[in-house]
Amino acid sequence: MKKDYNLIIFLLRGSRRRAIFKSLEKSPKIPKEIASECKISISNVSNTLPELIERGLVICKNPEDHHYKFYEITKKGRELIKDINL
């Protein structure tokens, strides 16, 4: 697959984006778990996740749920990890 340098730059330029993305690398998580692991506020996690979703790097596994939404890295996101050795 051809490297998407704009996507790589998007991820590398944002420390919060990078931390949240890395947090999801091993398993799906809810925002509270991500915030705790990354030591950032839940509101920052909630504001950053849509940016990652919009770029196709993360997906919500259960969007219909209102309390415990699980997020995980997409196939596109996993390919990006290989490209940048995050």
Side-chain angles (χ1 to χ4, degrees), residues 3 8 11-12 18 21-22 25 77-86:
K3 287 186 181 186
I8 292 169
L11 192 59
L12 294 179
R18 196 170 51 248
F21 191 69
K22 187 151 180 63
E25 189 174 1
R78 297 216 177 271
E79 290 170 0
L80 185 63
I81 290 171
K82 292 176 194 172
D83 285 345
I84 59 176
N85 297 319
L86 193 61

Side-chain angles (χ1 to χ4, degrees), residues 4-6 10 14 19 32 34 36 38-43 51 56-57 63-64 68 73 76-78:
D4 183 344
Y5 289 101
N6 289 328
F10 163 79
K32 185 175 180 180
I34 298 167
S36 176
C38 297
K39 296 178 177 48
I40 58 177
S41 71
I42 292 177
S43 63
E51 296 175 3
L57 300 175
E64 67 286 339
Y68 288 94
I73 294 177
K76 181 179 180 180
R78 297 216 177 271

